[in-house]
Each structure stands twice: as structure tokens, then as C-alpha cells.
Amino acid sequence: MPRHQRYWVGLDAGHLETAVCLVDAEGHVFFEAMTETRAAPIRDILRRFGVEPVQSITIEAGVGTQMVRDLRSFGFPVQVVDVRKSSKFLAIRRHKTDANDARGLAELGRVAQSMGPQVFVKPVEHQDIRIMINIRRTLLKQRARTDALLQSIFRLHGANIKLLNGRGSLAAEVASQLRLLRTGGVTIRVDLDPLVSMGEALRSHISNIDREMRTMATSIPACARFQGRVRQCGVELGVASGLHFQAALGVICSGCASSIIGVARAAMPSICM
């Protein structure tokens, strides 16, 4: 293939392998392959046919987010399309395979060069905020399950425990209630140490994450301004909520507090009523 000829690339990304398809201006496929889901092997393939002629690299949102970031860092024009939009175009083909999907995405980039807004790929730092929030949410759910099980065990024996969140508070409360039960002649014969250790460990991890999130929230100007502006409306916004907005909005509103407040008012119209 002449190096000056324009061509379009379609990538059907899987967790381990990615189908690559290259089509020319007439829609003819001149190269197909399977490679690792990494940017470097794909870059090496495109170098064989010339980097400048690449008009677009089309990939569906979802798998391959880091590969998209890396390809863009190499200077390739990568467009990430919504799966709901691309699936209708790909459904035209009779046989659904990775190779056919890659060819369909290359064709989509060629014939529909203006597909409207692309899927926004968050920067790594905003992705990490979302991961931290999800980890905290999971730990809170697990702590609630552990506390509920301990509470139910004590209630079956006619006792009740206060579920405090401070470090060491759960172990101290369980030990205190066990002593009171033994004083009344009641003994819990089941070993509760695994549950107590799990509850204490969860409280410790949640406390560490909360401390890290508070530090992070105060260090991000947009997040701090957002919390301050909402506080002026008489609403105390938690650190997790402020970071959630930061992670969701990404760089779009990272330097504009008024835009963040506009989004907040649209999402919560009664916040300043």
C-alpha cells in the first residue's frame, strides 16, 4: 500500500486481544490482524503503512480505555464511540465476529466522520478518584453486613451492642457485652473473633480512605470551591459527594466553579430553593 494513501482503522478491543482492521478510501480492507490489547503493538502495525495517512482510529467505549490514552499520547486520532450507536451500525453485518466488528468500526469512522459527541475518556487522576469512591462504598457495605450479623447474634441472646465507628470501639463494645452476658449466666458459644477482627479492619481501612479523601478534596481547587458554594446555600456537602462530582465532570469543569454549580443545580434543582 502506498504510504501517502489515506486509511481508517477499526479496533474491536477485548480484555486480552484486539482485532485490528484497516480500510482505504474506497472501503476496501487491506489489512486485518489480531494483537494484544496494548497501544504499542497497534502503533507498530500502523507504522508499516504510514502514520500520517491515518484518518481516524475508531473503538467502542468500555474495554481498552488505557489503550486509548496511550494511542492518543502517540499522536493518533482516536475516537471513542458509544456502544449504543455503534451496535446499530455493526448489526448490519450478518456474522458477528471480532474481525467483522473491527471492519465495521473502521467503516463507521470512514463514512460517518461526524458522529456527534464522542465518549469522554476521563484522565487517570479522575479515574483514580472514582475507584477510591467505589472501594469506600464496598467497604461500607461490607462493614454494614458484618455489624448486622454481630447485632443479630447478640439480640438472639438478649443483648444489644452499640455499633460505633471509631478504631477499637467495636472490639471494646463486644467484649463489654460478653462480660455482661456472662454475669447474667448467658454464654455465646460461637467464636466472634473473626467477625470482630473483620469489623475492626474495615473501620481502619475506611478511616484511612476518609482521611485521604479529605486531603484530596482540599487540594483540588474545583472541588473545594464546589463544596464552598453549596455550603453557602445552606447544604453541607460531604467530601465523598464533592469528589464524586470532580470524578464525574473530569477536566471539562475542573477550572470553572460556576460550571460545576450549574451542573449541580441541574442535578439537584432544589438545592438552593
Side-chain angles (χ1 to χ4, degrees):
M1 173 185 176
R3 295 180 63 86
H4 64 273
Q5 187 173 347
R6 300 182 303 161
Y7 65 93
W8 289 258
V9 183
L11 301 178
D12 184 61
H15 291 288
L16 299 178
E17 290 187 319
T18 293
V20 183
C21 181
L22 280 59
V23 299
D24 59 20
E26 286 73 36
H28 299 144
V29 177
F30 63 87
F31 181 84
E32 288 181 304
M34 293 292 296
T35 186
E36 298 177 73
T37 304
R38 294 190 303 109
I42 296 173
R43 176 191 57 186
D44 294 340
I45 290 174
L46 300 183
R47 280 177 173 173
R48 294 158 52 186
F49 302 96
V51 173
E52 288 76 12
V54 177
Q55 301 303 298
S56 70
I57 300 176
T58 306
I59 184 173
E60 290 180 315
V63 181
T65 302
Q66 186 57 45
M67 182 172 64
V68 169
R69 295 193 187 100
D70 293 339
L71 286 172
R72 285 177 173 174
S73 69
F74 294 152
F76 291 108
V78 183
Q79 55 181 358
V80 183
V81 298
D82 192 333
V83 176
R84 292 171 297 181
K85 295 180 180 180
S86 60
S87 61
K88 297 177 181 179
F89 185 85
L90 298 179
I92 300 174
R93 301 183 181 279
R94 181 175 300 179
H95 301 293
K96 181 173 177 58
T97 63
D98 293 344
N100 283 342
D101 284 351
R103 179 175 182 177
L105 290 170
E107 285 286 349
L108 182 62
R110 186 181 69 88
V111 302
Q113 299 182 28
S114 178
M115 293 178 288
Q118 299 180 31
V119 175
F120 177 66
V121 179
K122 293 184 179 68
V124 175
E125 54 270 21
H126 297 284
Q127 176 179 280
D128 290 343
I129 293 175
R130 177 61 59 84
I131 291 173
M132 181 182 297
I133 292 173
N134 289 336
I135 291 175
R136 181 179 182 272
R137 183 184 298 117
T138 301
L139 293 177
L140 287 172
K141 289 180 179 179
Q142 189 60 49
R143 186 187 70 183
R145 295 191 189 99
T146 304
D147 290 352
L149 180 55
L150 279 170
Q151 187 71 275
S152 66
I153 292 172
F154 276 93
R155 285 175 178 172
L156 287 173
H157 292 80
N160 191 35
I161 59 174
K162 297 178 181 178
L163 299 172
L164 305 176
N165 294 330
R167 292 186 180 182
S169 60
L170 180 64
E173 178 66 13
V174 169
S176 175
Q177 291 300 320
L178 287 175
R179 285 194 299 269
L180 289 176
L181 285 174
R182 284 194 295 268
T183 302
V186 179
T187 302
I188 297 180
R189 295 180 176 85
V190 180
D191 184 11
L192 300 180
D193 286 344
L195 286 178
V196 175
S197 299
M198 184 184 301
E200 287 292 347
L202 289 169
R203 282 165 168 76
S204 177
H205 290 309
I206 293 170
S207 177
N208 291 336
I209 290 179
D210 287 346
R211 187 184 306 109
E212 186 176 352
M213 290 175 66
R214 282 192 294 270
T215 303
M216 184 181 298
T218 55
S219 66
I220 300 175
C223 184
R225 287 197 300 269
F226 175 63
Q227 289 182 278
R229 290 288 296 275
V230 174
R231 193 176 295 114
Q232 292 175 5
C233 300
V235 178
E236 188 65 30
L237 188 67
V239 172
S241 299
L243 288 175
H244 180 77
F245 270 97
Q246 175 71 9
L249 296 175
V251 296
I252 298 177
C253 298
S254 61
C256 183
S258 60
S259 298
I260 297 178
I261 294 299
V263 174
R265 286 175 176 165
M268 300 178 290
S270 61
I271 196 169
C272 294
M273 297 295 287

